[in-house]
Amino acid sequence: MALPLLVTMGDPAGIGPEIVVKSLLSRPDWRSDTVVVGDAVVLQRAMALVRPDRGSALDAMPLVELSSLAALPAAPPGALVFVQGCVAGALPAWGRVDGVAGRMAADCIEWAARQVLHGHARAMVTAPVHKEALAAAGVEHPGHTEMLQALAAEQAGVPVSAMPVRMMLSAPGLATVLVSIHVALRTAIEAVSIESVFETIRITHEHFRRAGVDRPRIAVAGLNPHAGEGGLFGREEVDHIAPAIERALALGLDVSGPHPPDTVFMRARQGHFDVVVAMYHDQGLIPVKLLGVEHGVNTTLGLPMVRTSPDHGTAFDIAGTGRAGADSLMAAIEAARTASRHQAGH
């Protein structure tokens, strides 16, 4: 039997547990090799949300706890199986920032990541967490990406700086990789350097090669309006971005730019490029989310494992209502399944 795919439940006060249940309810074929990392009471509450309109289907998907991942083959066919990968606590209220919820979510992430890093699972998909809840729980990392980077570096026995990672957001027709992630805009501008841009291009190239694209076409966005107009509107393109592109070209990579940021995403969607390297978080994420957050996927590049997540947050405003859509999480699960197959065959 193939190694299992792990799905963490996310922040229990948000929509994560609900969309996990809905995803696996919609895809019975996934259940035989998918394990949810979460708390029994949280998952039962999520199943109760779904029951009013999918009661009979839920009856055919019993909730079964595994003592370990090795016990998956003995699970009843069609069950939603889970492991208690997080510290149980008082059941958090819907839609509120709660340190208990943050701790439960973080413990699930850490448990799942260690299983994948140790070769006991083939990939992990993470339901949304709330950054304020993580901070309230005393978690030192602001989000999934930074947590996983630290865990992977620890596993490899190297400093975090030696485990560079990047966030790729994709929706049908567009993929973008970010030079910087969760930092203030002023800090993001300061983070644009020859090394950071080149490293992003390199990591992006390697990811697409592993995914089966022999020569990925990488477009690099500028930072300033019209990509700086030769230095008239800022020197970042001249001093940092263009030299990084030249360095990548010298290695034979198919990379171009810096392109004006107001048109490069449109050109990528028209098929001119496979992926756009964006200089900061919102520059890259706004066009992807505009195309359809309900189908967006977040993939962490540079890790020695496959990790994806939906392209949205905890949606506290609708948590507990039963209205959350699972399309983005389902797209993330499908992406993780595909990526782990490519990685296994590499």
Side-chain angles (χ1 to χ4, degrees), residues 120-323:
H120 303 314
R122 72 178 189 270
M124 66 182 292
V125 181
T126 57
V129 296
H130 199 288
K131 292 176 176 58
E132 286 185 52
L134 293 178
V139 177
E140 61 177 310
H141 305 292
H144 278 116
T145 304
E146 296 85 354
M147 288 179 65
L148 296 172
Q149 178 188 26
L151 288 167
E154 176 189 296
Q155 169 71 13
V158 300
V160 170
S161 59
M163 184 69 67
V165 299
R166 294 296 188 271
M167 178 188 290
M168 180 175 78
L169 271 292
S170 56
L174 180 63
T176 182
V177 180
L178 311 179
V179 170
S180 61
I181 306 176
H182 299 124
V183 296
L185 182 56
R186 187 184 305 278
T187 304
I189 293 170
E190 294 169 351
V192 175
S193 66
I194 296 174
E195 189 60 35
S196 66
V197 175
F198 171 75
E199 189 81 334
T200 308
I201 296 169
R202 181 190 65 78
I203 291 171
T204 301
H205 175 81
E206 290 180 358
H207 168 79
F208 276 84
R209 286 290 304 275
R210 286 195 300 271
V213 182
D214 289 334
R215 190 168 169 76
R217 299 164 300 161
I218 303 171
V220 180
L223 173 70
N224 298 297
H226 306 287
E229 289 281 13
L232 290 175
F233 303 147
R235 297 228 17 119
E236 285 83 5
E237 287 80 6
V238 175
D239 296 339
H240 305 297
I241 301 174
I245 293 170
E246 291 168 7
R247 185 173 164 188
L249 286 169
L251 296 177
L253 278 60
D254 188 348
V255 57
S256 61
H259 296 281
D262 60 347
T263 58
V264 68
F265 299 100
M266 173 189 67
R267 294 181 64 201
R269 185 132 196 274
Q270 291 171 341
H272 295 285
F273 313 112
D274 295 304
V275 60
V276 177
V277 168
M279 291 301 110
Y280 58 93
H281 185 278
D282 286 8
Q283 184 189 59
L285 268 57
I286 288 173
V288 172
K289 294 190 176 186
L290 183 63
L291 286 176
V293 68
E294 66 275 9
H295 298 292
V297 176
N298 173 13
T299 304
T300 305
L301 312 189
L303 292 173
M305 64 177 182
V306 173
R307 177 263 169 163
T308 65
S309 72
D311 185 18
H312 60 72
T314 51
F316 276 180
D317 57 324
I318 62 169
T321 67
R323 303 201 316 266

Side-chain angles (χ1 to χ4, degrees), residues 9-18 42 45 49 90-102 104-105 128-130 133 314-321:
M9 69 175 184
D11 190 308
I15 65 171
E18 176 188 346
V42 170
R45 181 170 70 168
L49 276 182
L91 194 60
W94 294 117
R96 295 181 184 175
V97 174
D98 188 325
V100 171
M104 293 173 75
V129 296
H130 199 288
T314 51
F316 276 180
D317 57 324
I318 62 169
T321 67

